[in-house]
Amino acid sequence: NSVTFNTVAVSANTVVDTVTTEKLRKSAEDAVVQQYVIDNDITLRADRDLANIFLEITKDRQGEASSFRSSYCLELTEAEYKKFRETITEVQQDIMNRGVTNAAAAVVDAGESIRVRTYNEAAASAGMDILKKTIAVNKELSGERTEEEIKRARESVKDIVYKENQIIVRKGDIVSESQFAVLSALGLVKGKETLKIFQLLGVLLFI
């Protein structure tokens, strides 16, 4: 089956290549990554919880009643304890600011970060014991933001158009799906049966 045309050019001002345009927009949509939001209230609460734990550890170091004990911290000098406290605080802030979707995995990541910073396995272990009490999930998938990004991505793709006097197909060319749609929009291809044959059999349209 074939449909024969002479070489076809656009006579109107423009005609949109809807098939190609939609394919490009779909590709832009598929490239969008899921968007997340960070709950800053949870982040601030984690900061407070960590500060309170170190307050309790400080009490224990001073021989006062305490609700949290860290054997590692008890063995540190004042300068070492100060440095350890700063390191753990920085590690937690870095992780929470990046966003946590899995608290257990985040604690493991924190342990690795402490090892890199201190080169001390005992410090990493003690730090993880503390941070497992404070690090919490604060990052959640946002369907609304994801849809907004998809909308922006699709809108960034401009219509693909054939301009006035621009050749759509030439004599002897095989008509593509997108060219077929343009020819249909121009009224040069009519009839449901012709379209059905093209879609199901991949009919070649000789121009």
Side-chain angles (χ1 to χ4, degrees):
N1 293 304
S2 65
V3 178
T4 303
F5 298 100
N6 291 319
T7 296
V8 179
V10 177
S11 58
N13 288 333
T14 60
V15 60
V16 177
D17 183 342
T18 56
V19 172
T20 300
T21 299
E22 179 55 31
K23 284 181 178 179
L24 291 173
R25 286 178 177 157
K26 185 63 170 61
S27 294
E29 175 182 336
D30 292 342
V32 173
V33 297
Q34 292 182 321
Q35 301 295 300
Y36 290 81
V37 292
I38 292 178
D39 190 328
N40 291 322
D41 289 338
I42 296 177
T43 302
L44 291 174
R45 184 166 68 243
D47 288 343
R48 289 194 297 269
D49 290 346
L50 183 59
N52 287 334
I53 284 180
F54 276 119
L55 180 61
E56 293 302 311
I57 293 174
T58 299
K59 288 180 180 179
D60 194 31
R61 282 171 55 85
Q62 295 172 345
E64 300 177 17
S66 169
S67 62
F68 191 95
R69 165 163 288 205
S70 169
S71 299
Y72 174 79
C73 289
L74 289 177
E75 299 173 358
L76 301 177
T77 65
E78 193 59 35
E80 290 170 339
Y81 174 59
K82 178 181 179 182
K83 180 62 177 177
F84 175 76
R85 188 172 63 228
E86 290 173 349
T87 297
I88 302 306
T89 300
E90 289 172 1
V91 167
Q92 173 168 289
Q93 288 176 343
D94 179 56
I95 287 176
M96 295 297 291
N97 288 338
R98 283 190 280 117
V100 175
T101 57
N102 183 311
V107 171
V108 173
D109 289 343
E112 183 58 31
S113 182
I114 297 167
R115 288 186 188 93
V116 170
R117 293 171 183 239
T118 64
Y119 301 100
N120 188 320
E121 185 61 37
S125 179
M128 291 174 67
D129 286 342
I130 293 170
L131 293 177
K132 69 176 59 173
K133 302 289 187 180
T134 60
I135 287 178
V137 172
N138 69 342
K139 183 178 179 181
E140 296 183 347
L141 180 65
S142 173
E144 181 179 354
R145 288 197 177 184
T146 301
E147 286 301 317
E148 289 174 355
E149 286 301 312
I150 288 175
K151 182 180 178 181
R152 276 194 285 270
R154 289 184 61 86
E155 290 176 347
S156 70
V157 177
K158 305 301 182 184
D159 286 340
I160 304 301
V161 300
Y162 286 95
K163 299 179 181 179
E164 186 174 5
N165 296 323
Q166 182 178 349
I167 300 298
I168 301 174
V169 287
R170 297 181 183 278
K171 186 175 181 178
D173 287 348
I174 297 175
V175 176
S176 67
E177 180 185 2
S178 62
Q179 289 170 324
F180 185 90
V182 172
L183 294 172
S184 296
L186 291 172
L188 298 175
V189 179
K190 297 180 180 179
K192 293 182 179 179
E193 190 61 31
T194 302
L195 178 59
K196 182 178 180 182
I197 291 172
F198 176 80
Q199 291 174 331
L200 298 183
L201 302 181
V203 63
L204 305 183
L205 304 183
F206 296 102
I207 309 305

